[in-house]
């Protein structure tokens, strides 16, 4: 080793010879060097000054024999003569990297920590301390607790380094590159400005969790001090008040503008706004508020933030269509043409829209009802609103309410907030530029409520013809007349719309399309639209009717036509590739080409297979996306009369199953069922597709028939589906969604449907082509269902299933 001379160059340090009478050092003992006010952690490099003769002798002996030493913190820093009890029991094994002796006789070493060491006993008979003990390995445990503490500690270190001045970039990199939780804790503790006793506690914490907690606690205290110091320094530096500084800058800017001759620009802007306010033809209250803000704008310096806020507010006011435009006459015949050209089918809906337009034509000043189109996705609710706007000759504005959960989205933000804006209603009117526009409130059933209020409550005023004439947006803070706006809402489900809001709208139900209607829609609209979307012309590509029918039946199962349009687009994109490559100039897609273009048929008609055994009934269900068929399966096994229900059924459906079992027990004798079967068997009712929640009262008849089929051993006709609720007296009660259910039955290949007799009123709503393909059986009692649905008595062996 070489110390430094006066010129700073290394010189050889004199190394005393080993004393002849010194006993050899034990190989299992470490040379102990006590230190004051210093705790060295593993992997850390630090210089140590050595003053005690015994410590100098210990270091020289360690250098001579190239041995490691043990640095141990002494309990009292002022004590000179030490005994083993004066030292802590845990220290750090270190390597001596360099030993330096200065010309003035001082001794220094540069050492690197290696490992923690716990002293168990001391070795006597040497001029310096020797100790035996245990080398404490670094724990390798891991887990969520350690990882979480590791991340918190690293974030604290980063924040501390940001607050400290002149931090070396190498230290930042070392922190970021450290992946060991123990190493990071040791690194932080080593650089912490803490008392040696606190650092010794960290050194003695072998387990990672208490070690990380201790370092985090020490670092939190230090971090809080740094934060307060930084805040005090910032306040001291900003002795010049911000407002005074702003005034100085404004005066300088005004002087510059005067020198450049631009002092009249603000006057011209004020004059333009004054003229715009006059031409906007605002109501008296709104014009008073606008001129008041205009006077404020004149007195406000142009460079201030408030000037921009006032200017934005005035621009919004003057751009709104306050004046009512000239009313254009509504041509009812032209409106019918527009509706027929844009939409196929939907006759009842078109009739109601024509009635609505006729009333608006005869009483333009009257308060028209708020229409709400409710139905499954893809049936044309939004496009109906566009057709109404076209038929009325008015501007169309669309406001999407899906996911809106803040009342300010409807009523706007107050101007006290930075970045305040009007609500979506006022913004839509401003964008449309007409106070009598047709406004489509899309997905009104998907509004939510949150901590910022309930937007559906704000919609109550918007959609009330008695109140919306004086609608007050929070941003405008003056009334705006919404009574001339034609509001049309759309929704998929009415259940999620609050009752008061639903009460303000006239609900018009849109049902799903039949297969025939889908074919006509595809021929008239979808194919043409997809040809344009894929860059094709009618001369380059086409699709046969049979191919469209296969796509409708085998590749889509929906109430609307969105999936159908996507599948048509997929087929035409294959043609687009051939045309683009030049391998074909005219491609007509036929039925035989569909499977090659779209893959195997996705939906099969499996009704006959599913109802070929006793205990299986085909029910009809209503879903938010249209009707569907529902299989109900029942089986029995030896037991004690329990009823087991599976298939993720809701409470109402479970009650239907209980009621069906009670009715079947009550009518067992008349149906020909041995009553003892109920006592000796457990009955299991399952509705497949168990991952899909199911609920509702309309499965009572289907469950009753599944149990009747099971207990009699007679199968239910495979061409028959049913719906209806039952009472304990065996009466069949009416249910909703008849049109959607019947259309779904026809699409699934059913030829007979059994419906409650009290649902005859819904017969006219069923499309004529569906009525012509189905046989309708009207049920008064469950006995009618048994007589019409069960096949003749089965052989004895069939009853075993």
């Amino acid at each position: 080793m070489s110390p430094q001379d006066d010129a700073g160059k290394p010189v050889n340090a004199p190394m005393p010879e080993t004393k002849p009478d010194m006993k050899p050092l034990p190989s299992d003992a470490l040379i102990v060097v006590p230190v004051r006010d210093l705790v060295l952690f593993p992997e850390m490099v630090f210089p140590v000054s050595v003053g005690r003769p015994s410590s100098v002798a210990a270091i020289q002996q360690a250098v001579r024999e190239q041995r490691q030493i043990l640095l141990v913190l002494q309990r009292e820093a002022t004590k000179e003569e030490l005994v083993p009890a004066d030292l802590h029991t845990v220290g750090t094994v270190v390597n001596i990297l360099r030993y330096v002796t200065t010309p003035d006789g001082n001794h220094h070493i540069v050492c690197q920590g290696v490992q923690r060491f716990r002293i168990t006993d001391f070795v006597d008979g040497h001029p310096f301390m020797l100790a035996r003990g245990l080398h404490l390995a670094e724990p390798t445990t891991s887990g969520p607790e350690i990882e979480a503490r590791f991340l918190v500690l690293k974030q604290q270190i980063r924040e501390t380094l940001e607050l400290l001045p002149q931090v070396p970039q190498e230290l930042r990199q070392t922190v970021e590159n450290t992946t060991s939780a123990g190493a990071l804790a040791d690194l932080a503790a080593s650089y912490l400005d803490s008392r040696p006793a606190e650092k010794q506690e960290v050194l003695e914490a072998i387990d990672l969790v208490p070690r990380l907690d201790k370092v985090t606690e020490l670092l939190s205290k230090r971090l809080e001090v740094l934060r307060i110091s930084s805040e005090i320094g910032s306040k001291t530096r900003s002795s010049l008040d911000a407002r005074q500084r702003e005034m100085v800058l404004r005066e300088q800017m005004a002087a510059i503008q005067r020198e450049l001759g631009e002092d009249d620009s603000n006057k011209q802007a004020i004059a333009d706004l004054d003229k715009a306010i006059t031409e906007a033809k605002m109501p008296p209250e709104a014009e008073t508020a606008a001129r008041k803000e205009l006077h404020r704008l004149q007195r406000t310096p142009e460079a201030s933030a408030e000037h921009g806020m006032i200017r934005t507010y005035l621009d919004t006011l003057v751009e709104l269509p306050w004046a009512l435009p000239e009313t254009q006459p509504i041509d009812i015949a032209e409106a019918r043409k527009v509706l027929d050209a844009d939409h196929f089918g939907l006759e009842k809906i078109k009739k109601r829209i024509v009635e609505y337009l006729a009333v608006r034509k005869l009483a333009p000043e009257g308060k028209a009802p708020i229409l709400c189109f409710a139905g499954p996705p893809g049936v044309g609710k939004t496009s109906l609103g566009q057709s109404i706007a076209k038929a009325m000759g008015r501007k169309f504005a669309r406001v999407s309410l899906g996911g809106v959960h803040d009342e300010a989205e409807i009523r706007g933000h107050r101007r006290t907030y930075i970045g305040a804006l009007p609500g979506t209603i006022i913004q839509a009117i401003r964008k449309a530029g007409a106070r009598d526009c047709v406004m489509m409130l899309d997905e009104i059933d998907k509004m939510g409520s949150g901590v910022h209020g309930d937007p559906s409550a704000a919609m109550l005023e918007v959609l009330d013809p008695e109140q919306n004439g004086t609608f007050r947006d929070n941003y405008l803070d003056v009334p705006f007349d919404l009574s001339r706006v034609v509001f049309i809402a759309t929704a998929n489900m009415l259940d999620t719309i609050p009752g008061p809001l639903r009460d303000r709208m006239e609900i018009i139900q849109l049902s799903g399309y039949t297969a025939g209607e889908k074919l006509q829609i595809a021929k008239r609209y979808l194919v043409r639209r997809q040809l344009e979307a894929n860059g094709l012309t009618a001369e380059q590509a086409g699709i046969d009717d049979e191919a469209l029918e296969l796509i409708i039946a085998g590749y889509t199962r929906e109430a609307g036509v969105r999936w159908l349009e996507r599948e048509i687009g997929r087929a035409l994109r294959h043609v687009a590739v051939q045309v683009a490559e030049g391998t074909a100039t005219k491609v007509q897609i036929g039925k035989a080409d569909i499977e090659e273009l779209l893959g195997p048929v996705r939906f099969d008609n499996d009704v006959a297979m599913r109802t070929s055994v006793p205990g299986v009934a085909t029910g009809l269900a209503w879903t938010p996306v249209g009707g569907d068929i529902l299989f109900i399966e029942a089986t029995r096994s030896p037991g004690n009369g329990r009823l087991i229900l599976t298939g993720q059924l809701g409470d109402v459906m479970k009650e239907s199953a209980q009621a069906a079992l009670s009715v079947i027990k009550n009518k067992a004798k008349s149906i020909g069922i041995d009553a003892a079967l109920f006592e000796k068997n457990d009955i299991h009712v399952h509705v497949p597709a168990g991952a899909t929640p199911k609920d509702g009262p309309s499965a009572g008849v289907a469950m009753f028939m599944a149990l009747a089929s099971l207990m009699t051993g007679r199968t239910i006709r495979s061409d028959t589906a049913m719906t209806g609720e039952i009472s304990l007296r065996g009466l069949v009660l009416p249910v909703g969604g008849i049109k959607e259910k019947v259309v779904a039955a026809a699409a699934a290949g059913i030829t007979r449907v059994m419906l409650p007799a009290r649902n005859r009123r819904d017969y006219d709503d069923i499309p004529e082509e569906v009525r012509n393909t189905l046989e309708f059986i009207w049920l008064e009692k469950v006995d009618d269902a048994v007589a019409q649905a069960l096949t003749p008595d089965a052989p004895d062996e069939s009853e075993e299933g």
Side-chain angles (χ1 to χ4, degrees), residues 257 262-273 297-302 307 311:
Q257 288 178 340
E262 298 177 355
D263 194 29
D264 295 333
S265 60
N266 191 36
K267 293 181 181 179
Q268 182 60 43
I270 296 296
D272 292 342
L273 279 173
L297 187 67
Q298 288 177 300
R299 297 192 303 268
T300 305
E302 194 172 355
H307 184 280
R311 179 62 189 264

Side-chain angles (χ1 to χ4, degrees), residues 277-291:
I277 291 172
T278 304
E279 294 176 350
K281 298 180 180 178
M282 302 178 186
E285 184 176 349
E287 185 170 356
T288 300
R291 296 205 176 276

